[in-house]
Amino acid sequence: MSNIIYIGYEFKVTPLQPGVEILIAELGYAGFESFVETEEGVTAYIQKEEWNESILDDVQILNSEEFKIDFAFNEIEQTNWNEEWEKNFNPIVVDNICSVRAPFHEKPNTPYDIIIEPKMSFGTGHHETTHMMIQHILKNDFTNKSVLDMGCGTGVLAILAEMKGANPIDAVDYDNWCYLNSLENVERNNCKHITVIEGDASVLTGKKYDIIIANINRNILLNDMETYVSCLNKGGLLFLSGFYKDDIPVIQETCEKYMLKFEEKLERNHWVALKFFKLVH
């Protein structure tokens, strides 16, 4: 494993909501990749090699008169991350159907039970976007569907897709830590049909899928939309999340340009997850 160093920012936000939600959305656009909500605000992480001194210049909420936000930052070695997650990671249950928990949590009585060691990866199910994507997967037919989980983080969405009958499944993330973590979680949940791939949208050349799940952020989604559409079979489904409800117009406009029909919106604390259908012509 490469010795990746992260910069961790501790933000204290008043009032907490919707301040924390807006802050996380803007930090995601700025390049931050992992977030842990705290009693006073949020801790945000970015790889040191992606960081620069002006990283927060475009985070507009920091200059808003509606919120008081203080912060401090320091370098964090990822080898210290496991203990932090064990202290902060609580099991969740989505719609009384799907649970996401760590190995040290008691097994719940749900039809789908996903066991993960989240480490530094984004996508534990706690964040609104992952929660809503789980809801989308639970509501739709994945039986014998070929699936792409783009920006897979912990691999939790790919794992649930297999539990719902999908086959084959590609789980892709550009971050080495997420790639290794997804491999571990795929094995931990005895998945047989998931291929974990380290890379970005460039690794999708020549691939085709019935369903694409992309929980990333607005800028990456817009940049890679043409690639996703080229990989999506006619009549296929595209699920998008990782962005704020105010971003819906630009996301929907781009999707419609590529002959994707909007079908459903889920909303949770100002975050959204959208479902699109690829029209057959």
Side-chain angles (χ1 to χ4, degrees):
M1 182 187 303
S2 58
N3 186 28
I4 300 174
I5 296 176
Y6 281 80
I7 304 293
Y9 277 74
E10 300 277 353
F11 292 93
K12 295 182 179 180
V13 183
T14 306
L16 274 176
Q17 300 299 344
V20 167
E21 307 304 330
I22 298 171
L23 178 59
I24 290 175
E26 293 194 28
L27 291 174
Y29 300 155
F32 287 78
E33 62 184 62
S34 301
F35 308 91
V36 178
E37 294 189 34
T38 65
E39 292 183 358
E40 296 183 299
V42 65
T43 304
Y45 299 91
I46 185 170
Q47 290 189 31
K48 185 176 181 180
E49 63 181 26
E50 302 293 332
W51 177 86
N52 60 73
E53 292 183 356
S54 60
I55 192 73
L56 299 181
D57 284 0
D58 293 328
V59 180
Q60 297 177 10
I61 190 175
L62 297 179
N63 300 315
S64 171
E65 295 181 355
E66 298 180 33
F67 303 95
K68 181 178 186 299
I69 302 178
D70 298 315
F71 66 89
F73 65 93
N74 62 298
E75 289 188 7
I76 298 174
E77 291 279 359
Q78 65 181 25
T79 51
N80 297 328
W81 189 248
N82 290 349
E83 182 181 352
E84 292 303 310
W85 265 114
E86 290 200 10
K87 288 192 294 186
N88 293 287
F89 181 44
N90 297 313
I92 66 158
V93 177
V94 178
D95 298 339
N96 294 316
I97 300 174
C98 178
S99 56
V100 182
R101 63 184 176 93
F104 50 84
H105 292 136
E106 184 178 349
K107 186 180 187 303
N109 184 25
T110 55
Y112 302 102
D113 179 35
I114 301 174
I115 304 171
I116 64 171
E117 288 272 17
K119 298 185 179 177
M120 184 65 90
S121 304
F122 181 76
T124 63
H126 288 74
H127 193 268
E128 282 81 353
T129 59
T130 313
H131 188 107
M132 290 184 291
M133 291 297 245
I134 289 174
Q135 289 181 305
H136 271 310
I137 295 173
L138 292 174
K139 291 168 62 176
N140 287 270
D141 181 16
F142 276 67
T143 306
N144 296 322
K145 303 292 187 181
S146 55
V147 173
L148 167 65
D149 178 6
M150 192 69 194
C152 59
T154 60
V156 63
L157 299 179
I159 292 166
L160 179 58
E162 174 162 330
M163 291 179 174
K164 287 274 293 180
N167 181 20
I169 304 158
D170 286 341
V172 179
D173 205 296
Y174 75 94
D175 181 74
N176 179 255
W177 193 242
C178 293
Y179 165 73
L180 294 171
N181 192 203
S182 291
L183 285 174
E184 293 174 4
N185 290 328
V186 164
E187 182 179 359
R188 181 173 286 109
N189 288 273
N190 299 312
C191 295
K192 307 300 181 186
H193 307 299
I194 299 174
T195 301
V196 183
I197 302 169
E198 184 176 3
D200 55 19
S202 64
V203 306
L204 302 179
T205 303
K207 295 181 178 291
K208 289 288 185 180
Y209 304 97
D210 299 315
I211 298 174
I212 295 178
I213 305 163
N215 182 18
I216 311 178
N217 67 52
R218 185 192 72 168
N219 292 344
I220 294 177
L221 293 175
L222 293 174
N223 183 68
D224 294 342
M225 190 69 68
E226 184 175 4
T227 300
Y228 301 154
V229 174
S230 69
C231 294
L232 187 62
N233 291 326
K234 290 182 179 179
L237 299 177
L238 175 64
F239 297 96
L240 302 174
S241 195
F243 49 91
Y244 201 51
K245 65 180 180 181
D246 290 345
D247 297 317
I248 291 177
V250 66
I251 293 287
Q252 191 164 349
E253 179 183 3
T254 302
C255 287
E256 290 174 352
K257 182 175 73 172
Y258 291 111
M259 305 305 293
L260 294 168
K261 179 184 177 183
F262 171 75
E263 288 206 333
E264 186 179 5
K265 176 188 76 172
L266 298 179
E267 183 176 335
R268 188 176 176 88
N269 294 331
H270 306 288
W271 296 87
V272 292
L274 307 182
K275 174 185 177 182
F276 290 89
F277 173 83
K278 186 173 182 180
L279 297 172
V280 179
H281 287 283

